[in-house]
Amino acid sequence: MTRQVPATLWVVDRELNYLLSEGKGLSLIGLTPGEVVGQNLHDFFQSHEGSHPAIDAHIRALHGEEVTFEYDHNGVIFQTSLTPMTGPDHIINGVIGIAYDITEQVKAAERVRFERERAHQYLNVAEVMILAFDRHGTITLINRRGCEFLGLSHNEVIGKNWFDHFLPPSEWAQTRQFFHEFFQGWYGDCSRLKGEILISDGSPRFISWFMHAIRSPSGKLIGILASGKDITRERQLEDEKTAAVRQIEKNMAKFAVLNDQIRNPLSIILTLASMSDDVELAEKISEQVAKIDSIVNDLDHRWMESEKVLEFLRKHHNFNTASITDGESK
């Protein structure tokens, strides 16, 4: 029966001599049942000087301790358990050992650990903020850049609720609604969202998010993986750009009105000059009126060029500002 056990079973006496060696697991290390019986552990492990982990573990078992450890024997990894063996007098007279081959399990765990570490490396070299949330908004993952951006350590972020700790009250309703709809499947596996967050010093930042679904092996939606880019400065520049164009439009509208306001008095001055008996004075006035009219005409031409520039900016650079020229003219 012991030879059919899918493991390695052995017994050593107090002098660490093998009394029994059985089990299918022996073939993994090139041994046959009973082959090492009579051999000493020191000879088997070729450790006559100094200590050896397996021998030290047997000595601990001879002192009454139950010992469990992993041992790599020429590339085969065993999960080993040692139990003190007692006789009728309850005196420890040897050690019973059993070892199972866990090589594949260890290698599989190592592959999982390697993949996990590699994934974390990828996350940490990313220059965007990456977080993962469960359906309640609890943060389950954050990368290095995310911690730097928020101004907090990894432990200060993980487990915190995103809504309660990192969003201003003005964003609560919209973001909670988005989470609810996302987990209801409204957006499929990915979606985009923009909104404000608060960093550790309390200052707001405007973030553009790309959200992707996290699914369990069964396909159930269990979380959201989000990458966030800080577009605070871009938004400020966009606001400044829009404000500048609006101001230009206002100035141009006022300028158009001003041209009319200048020409109307000029017409009156010219009419009065023509009614004067002093012909020489009338001619001088007419000359000055003509100069002023020429200047106004030039300004009109520049106004038309400016309007074309504005129209080009609206069309090709997304200056989506409504013209208020008419409104100012009225």
Side-chain angles (χ1 to χ4, degrees):
M1 290 179 62
T2 57
R3 292 186 178 184
Q4 300 305 311
V5 175
T8 302
L9 178 68
W10 70 93
V11 177
V12 298
D13 61 17
R14 292 193 60 83
E15 283 71 39
L16 302 180
N17 296 311
Y18 281 103
L19 303 177
L20 176 73
S21 177
E22 300 289 349
K24 289 185 175 181
L26 288 169
S27 63
L28 296 173
I29 55 177
L31 297 175
T32 58
E35 182 178 344
V36 297
V37 171
Q39 189 174 349
N40 190 272
L41 281 182
H42 287 281
D43 295 326
F44 179 78
F45 290 108
Q46 298 180 357
S47 178
H48 297 284
E49 296 181 3
S51 61
H52 186 282
I55 296 175
D56 293 342
H58 281 76
I59 293 174
R60 287 164 56 193
L62 285 172
H63 286 84
E65 184 180 349
E66 292 191 355
V67 184
T68 299
F69 65 99
E70 291 182 9
Y71 175 66
D72 187 334
H73 188 91
N74 297 330
V76 181
I77 304 173
F78 291 99
Q79 178 72 48
T80 304
S81 297
L82 303 177
T83 302
M85 182 179 68
T86 59
D89 53 3
H90 302 294
I91 296 176
I92 298 173
N93 52 31
V95 176
I96 300 173
I98 187 168
Y100 294 93
D101 175 21
I102 60 169
T103 307
E104 286 305 315
Q105 295 95 308
V106 171
K107 290 182 177 179
E110 180 65 20
R111 286 193 294 270
V112 171
R113 184 190 65 79
F114 173 77
E115 292 297 333
R116 184 182 294 115
E117 289 181 354
R118 184 167 65 174
H120 279 291
Q121 289 175 353
Y122 290 160
L123 291 175
N124 287 331
V125 298
E127 284 303 314
V128 295
M129 187 167 41
I130 298 178
L131 299 96
F133 311 96
D134 66 14
R135 61 174 52 250
H136 303 294
T138 300
I139 303 169
T140 58
L141 176 147
I142 186 169
N143 68 339
R144 173 193 55 80
R145 179 59 181 142
C147 291
E148 291 174 353
F149 184 78
L150 294 176
L152 298 169
S153 69
H154 183 270
N155 292 336
E156 290 176 311
V157 177
I158 294 297
K160 296 289 182 63
N161 185 274
W162 182 249
F163 309 113
D164 297 340
H165 292 86
F166 300 101
L167 295 185
S170 59
E171 297 287 330
W172 288 350
Q174 177 189 0
T175 309
R176 288 182 185 275
Q177 181 67 23
F178 173 85
F179 266 64
H180 173 75
E181 293 171 353
F182 195 97
F183 280 98
Q184 292 296 314
W186 289 24
Y187 306 109
D189 275 356
C190 56
S191 184
R192 295 186 180 275
L193 179 71
K194 292 182 179 180
E196 280 192 351
I197 70 169
L198 298 175
I199 61 176
S200 60
D201 63 4
S203 60
R205 294 288 187 274
F206 199 77
I207 308 296
S208 175
W209 295 101
F210 178 75
M211 308 287 198
H212 196 280
I214 301 174
R215 296 189 179 275
S216 68
S218 64
K220 182 180 179 181
L221 180 56
I222 58 174
I224 296 176
L225 182 65
S227 62
K229 179 183 178 183
D230 181 15
I231 59 171
T232 306
R233 183 55 183 159
E234 289 90 331
R235 195 185 189 202
Q236 290 173 345
L237 290 175
E238 185 67 28
D239 291 342
E240 291 172 3
K241 177 178 67 176
T242 300
V245 173
R246 285 187 178 276
Q247 186 59 50
I248 292 172
E249 289 182 322
K250 289 181 180 180
N251 292 343
M252 290 179 62
K254 291 179 180 179
F255 180 70
V257 174
L258 183 62
N259 283 357
D260 291 338
Q261 292 175 341
I262 293 174
R263 279 198 171 94
N264 290 337
L266 285 179
S267 298
I268 297 173
I269 292 172
L270 194 60
T271 300
L272 293 175
S274 65
M275 297 171 61
S276 173
D277 294 333
D278 189 337
V279 176
E280 184 179 354
L281 177 62
E283 288 180 353
K284 290 181 178 179
I285 293 174
S286 297
E287 288 176 2
Q288 297 305 313
V289 168
K291 290 181 180 180
I292 295 173
D293 187 62
S294 176
I295 294 172
V296 173
N297 285 334
D298 184 60
L299 291 175
D300 271 343
H301 179 69
R302 298 297 177 88
W303 180 89
M304 293 176 65
E305 289 181 347
S306 299
E307 181 63 28
K308 290 178 181 179
V309 171
L310 272 180
E311 184 60 31
F312 178 84
L313 292 176
R314 295 189 195 102
K315 183 176 180 180
H316 298 284
H317 295 276
N318 298 320
F319 283 92
N320 295 318
T321 58
S323 177
I324 58 172
T325 305
D326 294 338
E328 291 289 338
S329 298
K330 294 176 183 178

